[in-house]
Amino acid sequence: MNRRTGWGLALFLVLTSLAVLTSWALSLRPIRINVLMPASFADQTTELVRKFNADHTGKINLRVTRGPLETEAVSDLAISSLLLGKSPFDALLIDVTWLPKYAAAGWLAPLDPWIDQQAIDSLAPGAQLGNSYKDQIYRWPLVADMGLLYWRTDLMKEPPKTPQELLEISQRIQQEGRVPYGYVWQGRQYEGLSCVFLEVLDGFGGKWLTPGTDIVGLNSPASQKAASWLRKLISSGVSPKSVINYAENETLQLFKSGDAALMRNWPYAWGEVQKTNSPIKGKVGVTTMVAAPGHKSTATLGSWGFSILKGSSNPDAAAEVIAFLTSTYAQKQLFLKNSYTPTKAELFNDPELLAKSTILPILAEALQSTEQRPQTPLYAQISDVLQRQLSSILTGKSNVNTAMDRAQRNTEQILLAAGET
């Protein structure tokens, strides 16, 4: 062997050894999982993420990308990354209304390989909704959420049970000079208005879009009654005229200040009205929404859950992350520290949670009667149609019949154009 051959062989052995060592080193690096969450959830899960990474040192490293605060802005960010090709995210925390659109577009991986019937049965009834599309599971719930009626226990002996009772009780309390307003809710032209309307519509016995059919019910007698009742809340002075500009925060602030007797909001508001700086601390009760005689009250389902992107290189690791963040342990921590409604049925009977919150039984009851918004990939479009027409009614620009006929017609046209009717 000459000197040149010897040097070549030595160089080959060195390079081979380096390649082997590099491959070995890379194999020891933890799998990195990146999850996109709205800002509020990213902030509230920081301790859970830290614990997961500590428990999975050298195996899985969980990174949370803190998205925008606004729900639709998070969706826009997620969709933009998906449309550009390879998404930097392995999993997303998505709103319940996004699922049909994302699944129909082929962006999500079915979760069925990691979820069995026992896991499904462990969820509270309402939390079992909104996780599937065309008989496959694409989302696993992190928190349960539903519309609730908050009422002042120092102003009334019991909450109203019907729309008419709500009007009468509000007007009586206002006439007595005890509060400026009777009832505050989300009247701004945005998704919250669709949620409010769905509860009122169900309370009058109507349906926005009948599940499993193409039947739109926005110009039905029940729908017209629901829209008329919302308009009457404003015209009668029971609700402030400015309610047409209210989202959840504005509604909460007016109620929390003591200027309203009743409020429609989500479970998170309970923790806010019980804070030490709240003038109405200890003076608030929570119940389900009102319904016309002969009809059942319902609560709009509004939950967030995790989905795995089809393009993830490590779906098994992503599934392990989701299993931890939605575990009984994690659910308990999120409730105790952030008042997030749990999804596990067993936690609604947990002594420690019951000691912290007297409304847990009400949340469990509300989850028994949750109503999903229409499960269609076109939800964003048809919700926009409804919001626009309701806003025109609430602002006095259109009468109820004209606006709801227009909502009916435009919704049918959207579904027809997409081949859903």
Side-chain angles (χ1 to χ4, degrees):
M1 179 186 297
N2 58 38
R3 182 176 299 177
R4 179 174 297 178
T5 302
W7 276 109
L9 179 59
L11 179 61
F12 172 76
L13 291 173
V14 169
L15 292 175
T16 301
S17 297
L18 285 173
V20 171
L21 287 171
T22 300
S23 177
W24 176 75
L26 287 173
S27 70
L28 295 179
R29 289 176 58 185
I31 298 171
R32 298 194 69 177
I33 297 297
N34 190 358
V35 181
L36 173 64
M37 297 190 198
S40 57
F41 287 105
D43 295 341
Q44 306 301 352
T45 56
T46 300
E47 290 185 20
L48 291 174
V49 171
R50 190 179 296 118
K51 176 172 174 52
F52 178 88
N53 285 331
D55 292 346
H56 294 77
T57 301
K59 299 177 182 178
I60 303 174
N61 179 258
L62 171 58
R63 175 188 174 189
V64 172
T65 296
R66 187 178 187 272
L69 183 63
E70 293 294 327
T71 298
E72 292 310 313
V74 178
S75 181
D76 291 342
L77 174 61
I79 291 175
S80 296
S81 74
L82 291 162
L83 293 176
L84 288 174
K86 177 69 174 177
S87 173
F89 311 116
D90 294 280
L92 305 174
L93 183 62
I94 68 172
D95 181 78
V96 66
T97 62
W98 303 354
L99 178 59
K101 178 178 181 177
Y102 283 44
W107 294 332
L108 307 180
L111 302 182
D112 302 78
W114 300 285
I115 296 171
D116 57 20
Q117 190 59 47
Q118 183 178 359
I120 295 172
D121 292 341
S122 73
L123 298 177
Q128 295 181 17
L129 302 175
N131 302 315
S132 300
Y133 181 73
K134 293 188 175 179
D135 299 323
Q136 286 190 298
I137 300 172
Y138 287 99
R139 192 188 80 122
W140 198 244
L142 172 67
V143 297
D145 220 1
M146 75 296 290
L148 298 169
L149 182 63
Y150 290 76
W151 59 287
R152 291 276 299 278
T153 58
D154 59 326
L155 298 178
M156 59 194 88
K157 292 182 179 180
E158 59 181 15
K161 296 181 175 60
T162 69
Q164 185 59 32
E165 283 184 8
L166 188 147
L167 282 168
E168 292 173 354
I169 291 174
S170 294
Q171 290 173 329
R172 174 176 54 79
I173 295 173
Q174 287 175 278
Q175 289 166 3
E176 292 171 353
R178 304 176 73 184
V179 289
Y181 303 109
Y183 180 46
V184 288
W185 41 284
Q186 294 78 53
R188 182 188 298 176
Q189 185 181 311
Y190 80 120
E191 183 57 30
L193 180 56
S194 293
C195 294
V196 167
F197 180 77
L198 178 61
E199 290 162 352
V200 180
L201 176 60
D202 281 0
F204 279 102
K207 289 293 179 184
W208 180 351
L209 185 65
T210 303
T213 74
D214 304 319
I215 300 173
V216 181
L218 293 180
N219 66 349
S220 67
S223 182
Q224 292 172 357
K225 288 178 182 177
S228 296
W229 185 74
L230 289 174
R231 175 59 190 160
K232 188 173 182 180
L233 289 170
I234 300 173
S235 63
S236 67
V238 164
S239 299
K241 292 181 179 179
S242 56
V243 79
I244 61 173
N245 297 312
Y246 285 9
E248 284 84 358
N249 186 58
E250 292 81 8
T251 306
L252 174 61
Q253 293 310 313
L254 193 145
F255 183 74
K256 185 177 178 181
S257 70
D259 287 337
L262 297 143
M263 171 183 71
R264 186 270 177 200
N265 219 317
W266 305 96
Y268 85 96
W270 173 255
E272 294 296 319
V273 299
Q274 295 303 319
K275 288 184 175 179
T276 54
N277 66 346
S278 172
I280 58 173
K281 180 182 179 181
K283 302 175 183 178
V284 178
V286 182
T287 187
T288 51
M289 300 302 296
V290 296
H295 297 289
K296 183 181 177 182
S297 66
T298 61
T300 299
L301 177 67
S303 70
W304 288 82
F306 290 106
S307 294
I308 296 176
L309 294 184
K310 186 173 284 186
S312 172
S313 302
N314 300 287
D316 287 330
E320 190 168 345
V321 166
I322 292 172
F324 173 79
L325 293 177
T326 60
S327 65
T328 301
Y329 168 80
Q331 296 266 301
K332 193 167 182 176
Q333 296 306 307
L334 289 171
F335 182 81
L336 291 172
K337 296 178 180 180
N338 310 112
S339 297
Y340 284 163
T341 306
T343 63
K344 300 283 189 179
E346 64 181 284
L347 290 178
F348 289 93
N349 297 311
D350 185 283
E352 187 177 2
L353 271 58
L354 287 167
K356 174 182 171 60
S357 176
T358 58
I359 72 162
L360 203 57
I362 296 296
L363 299 179
E365 179 184 349
L367 277 173
Q368 297 280 349
S369 58
T370 52
E371 176 73 8
Q372 295 187 82
R373 283 161 280 179
Q375 296 292 288
T376 168
L378 302 168
Y379 178 75
Q381 293 95 311
I382 68 172
S383 180
D384 182 67
V385 164
L386 177 60
Q387 295 163 31
R388 289 176 183 274
Q389 298 311 315
L390 288 174
S391 184
S392 72
I393 293 170
L394 299 180
T395 56
K397 294 179 180 178
S398 302
N399 64 53
V400 170
N401 290 347
T402 299
M404 298 316 292
D405 281 344
R406 191 182 298 123
Q408 175 83 15
R409 185 169 59 255
N410 292 349
T411 301
E412 289 176 340
Q413 288 173 348
I414 289 171
L415 297 176
L416 181 63
E420 291 209 5
T421 59

Coordinates of all heavy atoms in Angstrom, one line a residue, residues 161-211:
K161 N -86.8 32.2 33.4 CA -86.7 30.9 32.6 C -87.2 31.1 31.2 O -86.9 30.2 30.4 CB -87.6 29.9 33.4 CG -87.0 29.5 34.8 CD -87.9 28.5 35.4 CE -87.3 28.0 36.8 NZ -87.2 29.1 37.7
T162 N -87.9 32.1 30.9 CA -88.4 32.3 29.5 C -88.0 33.7 29.0 O -87.7 34.6 29.8 CB -90.0 32.2 29.5 OG1 -90.5 33.4 30.2 CG2 -90.5 31.0 30.1
P163 N -88.0 33.9 27.7 CA -87.7 35.3 27.2 C -88.6 36.4 27.7 O -88.1 37.5 28.0 CB -87.9 35.1 25.7 CG -87.7 33.6 25.4 CD -88.2 32.9 26.6
Q164 N -89.9 36.0 27.9 CA -90.8 37.0 28.4 C -90.5 37.4 29.9 O -90.5 38.6 30.3 CB -92.3 36.5 28.3 CG -93.3 37.5 28.7 CD -93.3 38.8 27.9 OE1 -92.9 38.8 26.7 NE2 -93.6 39.9 28.6
E165 N -90.2 36.4 30.7 CA -89.8 36.6 32.1 C -88.5 37.5 32.1 O -88.4 38.4 33.0 CB -89.5 35.3 32.8 CG -90.8 34.5 33.2 CD -90.5 33.3 34.0 OE1 -89.3 33.1 34.4 OE2 -91.4 32.5 34.2
L166 N -87.6 37.3 31.2 CA -86.4 38.1 31.3 C -86.7 39.5 31.0 O -86.2 40.4 31.7 CB -85.4 37.5 30.2 CG -84.0 38.2 30.2 CD1 -82.9 37.2 29.8 CD2 -83.9 39.4 29.3
L167 N -87.6 39.8 30.1 CA -88.0 41.2 29.8 C -88.7 41.8 31.0 O -88.4 42.9 31.5 CB -88.9 41.2 28.6 CG -88.3 41.1 27.2 CD1 -89.4 40.9 26.2 CD2 -87.5 42.4 26.9
E168 N -89.6 41.1 31.6 CA -90.4 41.6 32.7 C -89.6 41.8 34.0 O -89.7 42.9 34.6 CB -91.6 40.6 33.0 CG -92.6 40.5 31.9 CD -93.7 39.4 32.2 OE1 -93.5 38.7 33.2 OE2 -94.6 39.3 31.4
I169 N -88.7 40.9 34.3 CA -87.9 41.0 35.5 C -86.9 42.2 35.3 O -86.7 43.0 36.2 CB -87.1 39.7 35.8 CG1 -88.1 38.6 36.2 CG2 -86.0 40.0 36.8 CD1 -87.4 37.3 36.4
S170 N -86.3 42.3 34.1 CA -85.4 43.4 33.8 C -86.1 44.7 33.9 O -85.5 45.6 34.6 CB -84.8 43.2 32.4 OG -84.0 42.1 32.3
Q171 N -87.2 44.9 33.3 CA -87.9 46.1 33.4 C -88.4 46.5 34.8 O -88.3 47.7 35.2 CB -89.2 46.1 32.4 CG -88.8 46.1 31.0 CD -89.9 45.8 30.0 OE1 -90.9 45.2 30.4 NE2 -89.9 46.4 28.8
R172 N -88.8 45.5 35.6 CA -89.1 45.8 37.0 C -88.0 46.3 37.8 O -88.1 47.4 38.5 CB -89.7 44.6 37.6 CG -90.0 44.7 39.1 CD -90.7 43.5 39.7 NE -89.9 42.3 39.5 CZ -88.8 42.0 40.2 NH1 -88.3 42.8 41.2 NH2 -88.2 40.8 40.0
I173 N -86.8 45.7 37.6 CA -85.6 46.1 38.4 C -85.2 47.5 37.9 O -84.7 48.3 38.7 CB -84.5 45.0 38.2 CG1 -84.9 43.7 38.9 CG2 -83.2 45.5 38.8 CD1 -84.0 42.6 38.6
Q174 N -85.3 47.7 36.6 CA -84.9 49.0 36.1 C -85.8 50.1 36.6 O -85.4 51.2 37.0 CB -84.9 49.0 34.6 CG -83.8 48.2 33.9 CD -83.9 48.2 32.4 OE1 -84.6 47.3 31.9 NE2 -83.2 49.1 31.7
Q175 N -87.1 49.8 36.6 CA -88.1 50.8 37.1 C -87.9 51.2 38.6 O -88.2 52.3 39.0 CB -89.5 50.3 36.9 CG -89.9 50.3 35.4 CD -91.2 49.5 35.1 OE1 -91.8 49.0 36.0 NE2 -91.5 49.4 33.8
E176 N -87.4 50.2 39.3 CA -87.1 50.4 40.7 C -85.8 51.2 40.9 O -85.5 51.6 42.1 CB -87.0 49.1 41.5 CG -88.3 48.3 41.5 CD -88.2 46.9 42.1 OE1 -87.0 46.4 42.2 OE2 -89.2 46.2 42.3
G177 N -85.1 51.4 39.8 CA -83.9 52.2 39.9 C -82.7 51.5 40.5 O -81.7 52.1 40.9
R178 N -82.7 50.2 40.5 CA -81.7 49.4 41.1 C -80.5 49.2 40.1 O -79.4 49.0 40.6 CB -82.2 48.1 41.6 CG -83.4 48.3 42.5 CD -84.0 47.0 43.0 NE -83.2 46.3 43.9 CZ -83.5 45.1 44.4 NH1 -84.6 44.5 44.0 NH2 -82.7 44.5 45.3
V179 N -80.7 49.2 38.8 CA -79.7 49.1 37.8 C -80.1 49.9 36.6 O -81.3 50.0 36.3 CB -79.4 47.6 37.4 CG1 -78.7 46.8 38.5 CG2 -80.6 46.9 37.0
P180 N -79.1 50.4 35.8 CA -79.5 51.1 34.6 C -80.0 50.2 33.5 O -80.9 50.5 32.7 CB -78.2 51.7 34.2 CG -77.3 51.8 35.4 CD -77.7 50.5 36.2
Y181 N -79.5 48.9 33.5 CA -79.8 48.0 32.4 C -80.2 46.6 33.0 O -79.7 46.2 34.0 CB -78.7 47.9 31.4 CG -78.3 49.2 30.8 CD1 -77.1 49.8 31.2 CD2 -79.1 49.9 29.9 CE1 -76.7 51.0 30.7 CE2 -78.8 51.1 29.4 CZ -77.6 51.7 29.8 OH -77.2 52.9 29.3
G182 N -81.1 46.0 32.2 CA -81.5 44.6 32.6 C -80.6 43.5 32.1 O -80.1 42.7 32.9
Y183 N -80.3 43.5 30.8 CA -79.6 42.4 30.2 C -78.5 42.8 29.2 O -78.8 43.6 28.3 CB -80.6 41.5 29.5 CG -80.1 40.2 28.9 CD1 -79.2 39.4 29.5 CD2 -80.6 39.9 27.6 CE1 -78.8 38.2 28.9 CE2 -80.2 38.7 27.0 CZ -79.3 37.9 27.6 OH -78.8 36.8 27.0
V184 N -77.3 42.3 29.3 CA -76.3 42.6 28.4 C -75.8 41.3 27.7 O -75.7 40.3 28.3 CB -75.1 43.3 29.1 CG1 -75.5 44.8 29.4 CG2 -74.6 42.6 30.3
W185 N -75.4 41.4 26.5 CA -75.0 40.3 25.7 C -74.1 40.7 24.5 O -73.8 41.9 24.4 CB -76.3 39.6 25.1 CG -77.4 40.5 24.6 CD1 -78.2 41.2 25.5 CD2 -77.7 40.9 23.3 NE1 -79.1 42.0 24.7 CE2 -78.8 41.8 23.4 CE3 -77.2 40.5 22.1 CZ2 -79.3 42.4 22.2 CZ3 -77.8 41.0 20.9 CH2 -78.8 42.0 21.0
Q186 N -73.7 39.8 23.6 CA -72.8 40.1 22.6 C -73.6 40.5 21.3 O -74.1 39.6 20.6 CB -71.9 38.9 22.3 CG -70.9 38.6 23.5 CD -71.6 37.9 24.6 OE1 -72.2 36.8 24.4 NE2 -71.5 38.4 25.8
G187 N -73.7 41.8 21.0 CA -74.5 42.2 19.9 C -73.7 42.8 18.7 O -74.3 43.2 17.7
R188 N -72.4 42.7 18.8 CA -71.5 43.2 17.8 C -71.6 42.3 16.5 O -71.9 41.1 16.7 CB -70.1 43.3 18.2 CG -69.1 43.8 17.2 CD -67.6 43.7 17.6 NE -67.4 44.5 18.9 CZ -66.2 44.5 19.5 NH1 -65.2 43.7 19.1 NH2 -66.1 45.2 20.6
Q189 N -71.3 42.8 15.4 CA -71.4 42.0 14.2 C -70.1 41.1 14.1 O -69.1 41.5 13.5 CB -71.5 42.9 12.9 CG -71.7 42.0 11.6 CD -71.8 42.9 10.4 OE1 -72.6 43.9 10.4 NE2 -71.0 42.6 9.4
Y190 N -70.1 40.0 14.8 CA -69.0 39.1 14.8 C -69.5 37.7 15.2 O -70.7 37.5 15.4 CB -67.9 39.6 15.7 CG -68.1 39.3 17.1 CD1 -67.2 38.5 17.9 CD2 -69.2 39.8 17.8 CE1 -67.4 38.3 19.2 CE2 -69.4 39.6 19.2 CZ -68.5 38.8 19.9 OH -68.6 38.6 21.2
E191 N -68.7 36.7 15.4 CA -69.1 35.4 15.7 C -69.9 35.3 16.9 O -70.8 34.4 17.0 CB -67.9 34.4 15.7 CG -68.2 33.0 15.9 CD -69.2 32.4 14.9 OE1 -69.2 32.9 13.7 OE2 -70.0 31.5 15.2
G192 N -69.6 36.1 17.9 CA -70.4 36.1 19.2 C -71.9 36.3 19.0 O -72.7 35.7 19.7
L193 N -72.2 37.1 18.0 CA -73.7 37.4 17.7 C -74.3 36.1 17.1 O -75.5 35.8 17.5 CB -73.8 38.5 16.7 CG -75.2 38.9 16.3 CD1 -76.1 39.3 17.5 CD2 -75.1 40.1 15.3
S194 N -73.6 35.3 16.3 CA -74.2 34.1 15.8 C -74.4 33.1 17.0 O -75.5 32.4 17.0 CB -73.2 33.4 14.8 OG -73.1 34.2 13.7
C195 N -73.5 33.1 18.0 CA -73.7 32.2 19.1 C -74.9 32.6 19.9 O -75.7 31.8 20.4 CB -72.4 32.3 20.0 SG -71.0 31.6 19.2
V196 N -75.1 33.9 20.2 CA -76.2 34.4 20.9 C -77.5 34.1 20.2 O -78.5 33.6 20.8 CB -76.2 36.0 21.1 CG1 -77.5 36.5 21.5 CG2 -75.0 36.3 22.0
F197 N -77.6 34.3 18.9 CA -78.8 34.0 18.1 C -79.1 32.5 18.1 O -80.3 32.2 18.2 CB -78.6 34.5 16.7 CG -79.9 34.3 15.8 CD1 -81.0 35.1 16.0 CD2 -79.9 33.2 14.9 CE1 -82.1 34.9 15.2 CE2 -81.1 33.0 14.2 CZ -82.2 33.8 14.3
L198 N -78.1 31.7 18.0 CA -78.4 30.2 18.0 C -79.1 29.8 19.3 O -80.1 29.0 19.2 CB -77.1 29.5 17.9 CG -77.2 27.9 17.9 CD1 -78.0 27.4 16.8 CD2 -75.8 27.3 17.9
E199 N -78.7 30.3 20.4 CA -79.4 30.0 21.7 C -80.8 30.5 21.8 O -81.7 29.8 22.2 CB -78.5 30.6 22.9 CG -77.2 29.9 23.1 CD -76.2 30.7 23.9 OE1 -76.5 31.8 24.2 OE2 -75.2 30.1 24.2
V200 N -81.0 31.7 21.3 CA -82.4 32.3 21.3 C -83.2 31.5 20.3 O -84.4 31.2 20.6 CB -82.3 33.8 21.0 CG1 -83.7 34.3 21.0 CG2 -81.5 34.5 22.0
L201 N -82.7 31.2 19.1 CA -83.4 30.5 18.1 C -83.9 29.1 18.6 O -85.0 28.7 18.5 CB -82.6 30.3 16.9 CG -83.1 29.5 15.7 CD1 -84.4 30.1 15.2 CD2 -82.1 29.3 14.6
D202 N -83.0 28.4 19.3 CA -83.3 27.1 19.8 C -84.3 27.2 20.9 O -85.2 26.4 21.1 CB -82.1 26.4 20.4 CG -81.2 25.8 19.3 OD1 -81.6 25.8 18.2 OD2 -80.1 25.2 19.7
G203 N -84.2 28.3 21.7 CA -85.2 28.6 22.7 C -86.6 28.8 22.3 O -87.6 28.6 23.0
F204 N -86.7 29.2 21.0 CA -88.0 29.4 20.4 C -88.4 28.2 19.5 O -89.4 28.2 18.8 CB -88.1 30.7 19.5 CG -88.3 31.9 20.3 CD1 -87.2 32.8 20.6 CD2 -89.5 32.3 20.8 CE1 -87.4 33.9 21.4 CE2 -89.8 33.4 21.5 CZ -88.7 34.3 21.8
G205 N -87.6 27.2 19.6 CA -87.9 25.9 18.8 C -87.5 25.9 17.4 O -88.0 25.0 16.6
G206 N -86.6 26.7 17.0 CA -86.1 26.7 15.6 C -84.8 26.1 15.4 O -84.1 25.7 16.4
K207 N -84.3 26.0 14.1 CA -83.0 25.5 13.8 C -82.4 26.4 12.7 O -83.1 26.8 11.8 CB -83.2 24.0 13.2 CG -83.5 23.0 14.3 CD -82.4 22.8 15.3 CE -82.7 21.8 16.3 NZ -81.7 21.6 17.3
W208 N -81.1 26.6 12.9 CA -80.4 27.4 11.9 C -80.2 26.5 10.6 O -80.6 26.9 9.5 CB -79.1 27.8 12.5 CG -78.1 28.6 11.6 CD1 -78.2 28.9 10.3 CD2 -76.9 29.2 12.1 NE1 -77.2 29.7 9.9 CE2 -76.4 29.9 11.0 CE3 -76.3 29.3 13.3 CZ2 -75.2 30.6 11.0 CZ3 -75.1 30.0 13.4 CH2 -74.5 30.6 12.3
L209 N -79.6 25.4 10.8 CA -79.4 24.4 9.7 C -79.7 23.0 10.3 O -78.9 22.6 11.2 CB -78.0 24.5 9.1 CG -77.7 23.6 7.9 CD1 -78.6 24.1 6.7 CD2 -76.2 23.7 7.5
T210 N -80.7 22.4 9.9 CA -81.1 21.1 10.4 C -80.0 20.1 10.2 O -79.6 19.8 9.0 CB -82.4 20.5 9.9 OG1 -83.4 21.5 10.1 CG2 -82.8 19.2 10.5
P211 N -79.4 19.4 11.2 CA -78.3 18.5 11.1 C -78.7 17.3 10.1 O -79.8 16.8 10.2 CB -78.1 18.0 12.5 CG -78.6 19.1 13.4 CD -79.7 19.6 12.7

